Amino acid sequence: MARLGKVIDPELGRSVTDLGMIAGIDVAPAGTDGGRPAYDVTVRVELTVPGCPLSDTIVGNITAAIASYPDAALTPRIEVATMSEAKLADLVAGLKAERKRNPFAKPGVKTRIFAIASGKGGVGKSSVTANLAATFAALGYDTAAIDADIYGFSLPGLFGVTSQPTNLNGMLMPVTAWGVKLISIGMFAGADRAILWRGPRLQRSLEQFLSDVWWGEPDVLLLDLAPGTGDMAISVAQTLPNAELIVVTTPQPSASDVAVRAGLVALQVPMRVRGVVENMSWFDHHGERLEIFGHGGGQRVADQLTAALGHDVPLMAQLPLLPEVRERGEAGRPAVLGADGRLAGTPLAESFAGLARALMA
Ligand SMILES: Nc1ncnc2c1ncn2[C@@H]1O[C@H](COP(=O)(O)OP(=O)(O)OP(=O)(O)O)[C@@H](O)[C@H]1O
Ligand SMILES: [Mg+2]
């Protein structure tokens, strides 16, 4: 049992023993093996849901934990079953009770929260969110992301997610892709999606994503906001008092003027504007930097927000227009990652790593 206490359920972030998933252990002597006593060990595991997608991982980790026993040669045999409804209901009730409604609003929470906003649409918020999240995860941070663009969700596509979140008696498990725990309305179909969309929609769906999803306590939470200067940013400030706003713009005035207004939301609600990211700053044409969308928008937004808000709002990154950003995004892998899921050694990946480190500093 002590060895199994180190086996963590990947979705719930708790040990399988804490979660009551070990229903029984039988040990039968089996002679000796290389001078050590040998035993056959049968472990009865009860998974939370039938056909749990992580069943193989959990069973593999349990097998490895038993095989690592130092003082005897143990031959593991794992019997997999599913928890009774009653036991699962108890487990979920226990987890819910211990967690406040919105785990990120409680005092002392360590999670850094960054909301990515823009004003103008199509400037690359979602691409920046996806690549920044993948970068944080690749750098070793426990990373989560919420697709807060309810009508124009795009994170499932950018991360190549086609599966649905596991629903444990009304508690949803985020889907992990490229190391990032994700939730998006795009992961729900039919009736589930209709439920999320009911009522005063935006505020409710954000609250549901925060309180009905089992997040654990990630190091970083990113929110990909819808374009516009309004409602969602206010909801974020109200529900997530620690959230910091990152304003994305392109270099052109028509984007940067609206981006400033998106940042000025911080005059209405208490929310720190952390910095500005300029996207599509240039296109590298055989070594020549073509400024397709003009010049200076990021710096203009940073200067104007610094003046209006009375604290430093720096221009934190300038990112090139790069066909891979779109192509890889459409293929479901953030462009900063190689096929192996590690940070690629490209200038783009270095820019994102620099941004991630600056944000955490
Ligand atoms: N640096 C970049 N280089 C090349 N293409 C990019 C870059 N950033 C974003 N794109 C592309 O531009 C388009 C818009 O980007 P994205 O969807 O990330 O913007 P958005 O601000 O989230 O849009 P919306 O306002 O609709 O939510 C996408 O096709 C995306 O692939
Ligand atoms: Mg978007």
Side-chain angles (χ1 to χ4, degrees):
M1 281 303 270
R3 299 246 130 200
L4 295 181
K6 304 227 162 60
V7 177
I8 305 296
D9 178 288
E11 285 183 315
L12 294 168
R14 287 297 175 71
S15 73
V16 294
T17 51
D18 273 4
L19 293 169
M21 290 166 64
I22 305 301
I25 302 180
D26 293 325
V27 180
T32 54
D33 177 352
R36 293 195 301 168
Y39 297 91
D40 291 330
V41 177
T42 305
V43 177
R44 284 189 301 286
V45 181
E46 290 183 352
L47 300 175
T48 46
V49 284
C52 171
L54 294 163
S55 155
D56 289 351
T57 311
I58 296 171
V59 168
N61 292 344
I62 289 175
T63 307
I66 296 169
S68 73
Y69 192 74
D71 303 327
L74 305 186
T75 306
R77 200 165 72 84
I78 316 291
E79 289 173 1
V80 178
T82 307
M83 270 182 200
S84 68
E85 296 264 330
K87 189 166 170 185
L88 178 61
D90 275 357
L91 168 66
V92 172
L95 291 172
K96 279 188 173 163
E98 142 197 341
R99 172 199 66 165
K100 296 264 166 52
R101 270 182 59 75
N102 163 1
F104 299 107
K106 67 175 188 246
V109 67
K110 68 163 200 241
T111 307
R112 294 289 299 272
I113 305 171
F114 301 106
I116 322 292
S118 72
K120 189 174 184 304
V123 297
K125 288 174 297 301
S126 301
S127 305
V128 167
T129 307
N131 282 290
L132 187 58
T135 301
F136 273 123
L139 291 176
Y141 293 102
D142 183 353
T143 308
I146 294 179
D147 195 341
D149 189 348
I150 303 298
Y151 302 106
F153 56 81
S154 50
L155 291 189
L158 290 170
F159 279 86
V161 170
T162 49
S163 52
Q164 293 222 347
T166 307
N167 185 338
L168 267 191
N169 278 25
M171 195 166 72
L172 300 166
M173 298 299 127
V175 174
T176 300
W178 300 108
V180 179
K181 294 180 198 157
L182 288 169
I183 205 86
S184 168
I185 197 144
M187 296 170 177
F188 301 89
D192 287 346
R193 192 180 287 185
I195 289 169
L196 285 163
W197 261 343
R198 217 186 286 143
R201 294 174 179 174
L202 294 173
Q203 175 99 28
R204 271 300 292 149
S205 42
L206 179 64
E207 277 169 13
Q208 275 180 303
F209 281 163
L210 294 170
S211 58
D212 295 354
V213 177
W214 176 259
W215 291 110
E217 193 172 332
D219 301 314
V220 191
L221 170 67
L222 298 182
L223 295 115
D224 180 18
L225 303 190
T229 52
D231 298 348
M232 189 49 114
I234 291 171
S235 290
V236 169
Q238 287 166 346
T239 33
L240 295 167
N242 297 336
E244 301 167 63
L245 202 69
I246 300 175
V247 177
V248 180
T249 184
T250 56
Q252 71 194 110
S254 71
S256 62
D257 291 349
V258 211
V260 172
R261 292 206 289 280
L264 290 179
V265 76
L267 293 175
Q268 298 172 48
V269 284
M271 175 184 257
R272 187 175 172 84
V273 181
R274 184 53 199 279
V276 178
V277 170
E278 187 182 81
N279 189 28
M280 311 191 192
S281 300
W282 70 85
F283 175 73
D284 188 327
H285 180 66
H286 304 302
E288 188 191 351
R289 284 192 173 191
L290 304 182
E291 296 185 320
I292 292 175
F293 290 107
H295 180 86
Q299 193 60 54
R300 270 195 305 278
V301 177
D303 292 345
Q304 289 182 28
L305 288 178
T306 298
L309 301 176
H311 67 81
D312 187 31
V313 180
L315 174 59
M316 299 185 81
Q318 289 179 291
L319 305 167
L321 185 69
L322 209 61
E324 295 91 290
V325 171
R326 179 187 58 76
E327 288 158 11
R328 297 264 190 76
E330 280 173 344
R333 163 161 47 105
V336 288
L337 299 181
D340 59 0
R342 289 162 183 264
L343 273 188
T346 55
L348 183 78
E350 276 161 28
S351 297
F352 272 98
L355 175 60
R357 291 200 181 94
L359 286 170
M360 292 308 267

